[in-house]
Amino acid sequence: MKITNKIIRNIGLALALITVSCDSYLDVNENPNNPEDAPISGLMINTTYESGKNIFRVGDITSNYVQYLASPNQASASDTMEPVSHNNTWFNIYNVMTDLTVLIEKAEEQGANHYKGAAQVLMALNLGMGVDIFGDMPFSESFTFETVTPSYDDDEQLYSIIMDFLDEGIANLQGETTISIGEDDFIYQGDTIKWIAFANMLKARYMIHTQGNMSEILEAVDKGFQSNDDNAKVNFFEQDINPWADVARDNADLLLGGWISEQFIEALDGTSYPTIDPRLGLMVGTTDDDTFVGTVNGAGRGNAPEQGARSTLIEDQYYTSITSPILIGTYSEQKFIEAEAAFEIDKSRSYQAYLDGITAHMQMLEVPQEEIDAYLADPSVSMGEGAFTLADIFKEKWVALFLHPESWNDARRFDYQYRDMDLPVNLNPDLNGQFIRRLPYPDNEVSRNGQNVPDVTLLDRIFWDE
C-alpha cells in the first residue's frame, strides 16, 4: 500500500490562510531561503487540518448508524447498513498517517520535539479512528514502502501502539525543543499545554473503550481538559467551509442530505424522554410549520416534499456555520468518560461529572443560562445519585457527541440500547435483525491486498466490542 506523500494537497487552504492571516502564515519561516522549518510546518498544517476533516469523514458514515441522520431516500444503504465500500475514508486516514510518519521523522532529525509530540498524538487519533471502524489494519509494514501488500496488525495490538504514541507524545511535548509550534498548528496554534491535555483526554477515550483500569482513566481525566476552552477542534474559513455547512447548503439547494432521524428528534422533543431539550433548536432546523419532524431510518421521506416537511441540518447553526469548527475532542465528552469511569468506584463523582457534561455541552452551544437551569432541574435529568444509571450517561453523551464518530463506538459498547432506538426499516437482511458492528474493508484494498485482508462480516466485532 504505497501512498503518495503530499505535504500540501489543498492549495485553496493555503490561499485561505494567506487571506485570513497573511502575516502569521508568511512568518512561519523568518528566512524564506532557509527551508529548515518549511517541511515540518507544511506537514503540521496538513495533518492538523486533515485530521479534523477525517473526523467529519468518519462521522458522515456513522451518523446514520447512531440515528442522528436519516436518508430521505427509501432503503438507502447508509440507513439500512449495507456493506458500502469506503475507499476515500480509508485512503484519507492513511494519507494523514503517511504524512505524520514523515513529520515524526523530520521532527526527530531536527530536535523539534514539540512537533514530534503533536504528530504522535495525531497518529494515535487517526490510527484509533481506523481501528474503531475497521478492526485489524496494516500499520507496521505500511510506511516503509518495502511492500505494496502489507500484512495486517491485530486490532488489540494496535490499541497498545495507540497508547504508546500518546505516552511518547506527552513526553515529547513536555520536553525541550529546537523549534516551537506556531500558527501552522490548526488545532491549538502551538499551545503545548493544551496538546498535553488533549493527549490525556484521548488516553481516557481509548481506555474507556476497553474498560481498562478505571482509576487510570480518572487519572488521565484529571490531566486532561479543564473547560470548553481546551476543546480540540479545527476551525474553517470563508474560502474552505465547514463540511457540515456544505451538507446543509447542498440540502437547501435540493441535493438532499443532512436529514434528521426521527429517533434524534423524539429523544429531545419530549417524546422518548419526559423533558424538552433546549439544545434541539440550536442543532437542527424546523419544518415550515415551525415544528420538529424527523425521518424514519430506512423509510425515506415517503410522500413528503423535498423541503419544508422534515427537520434537516440548516446553515448558520453551531455545527453548520461556514466557519464552525469540527470538534475532535471536547470537555463535555471527557466529563461523560469521567462519569462512566467513576460510576462503580465513586458514584458521587460520577453523578456530578454527568451533570457537568450536560452543562459543558449546553454552554458550548450557548444555551441561555435560565434554560440550562430549567433542564437540569427536571427530575428526569437530575434524578439524584441513587436513581442515576449508566443509561443516563450514555443518553446525554449521545446528545453531546452529535455528528461525531465517537458516538458509534459508544453505541456498540452500549449495544444500541438507547431508548426507542429501533432497527431501521428495510434493514440489510445479512444482519439477521441486528445492528452493524464494523465497516467492511474497502474494495480498493481488497483488490490490491486481498491476500492479507481479513475475512470478516458486518456482525464481526472489534476486539473491545466482544
Side-chain angles (χ1 to χ4, degrees), residues 6 9 42 46 85 143 147 153 165 181 195 214 219 226 243 308 316 327 330 362 367 382 387-388 392 406 444 460 466:
K6 300 177 183 177
R9 283 182 288 274
N46 196 57
S85 177
F143 309 108
T147 176
D153 296 304
F165 272 122
I181 309 172
W195 271 105
M214 296 302 177
E219 182 180 345
Q226 303 302 308
D316 299 324
L327 301 169
T330 62
M362 288 189 164
V367 176
S382 294
F388 168 58
D392 298 313
E406 180 62 18
N444 287 351
D460 289 326
E466 294 175 350

Side-chain angles (χ1 to χ4, degrees), residues 336-412:
F336 291 118
I337 294 171
E338 178 183 357
E340 183 181 351
F343 188 82
E344 295 291 346
I345 59 178
D346 189 343
K347 191 74 173 292
S348 178
R349 176 175 180 175
S350 174
Y351 183 59
Q352 187 59 55
Y354 153 81
L355 296 174
D356 290 345
I358 298 170
T359 302
H361 185 245
M362 288 189 164
Q363 289 175 340
M364 188 182 76
L365 297 185
E366 298 184 347
V367 176
Q369 188 60 50
E370 61 271 19
E371 294 182 17
I372 297 176
D373 294 341
Y375 185 76
L376 291 176
D378 190 284
S380 68
V381 178
S382 294
M383 68 292 294
E385 186 179 318
F388 168 58
T389 68
L390 284 171
D392 298 313
I393 299 171
F394 275 94
K395 181 263 181 176
E396 288 292 345
K397 189 179 179 187
W398 175 71
V399 176
L401 283 172
F402 186 58
L403 303 177
H404 196 287
E406 180 62 18
S407 194
W408 191 36
N409 301 330
D410 283 342
R412 288 175 287 169

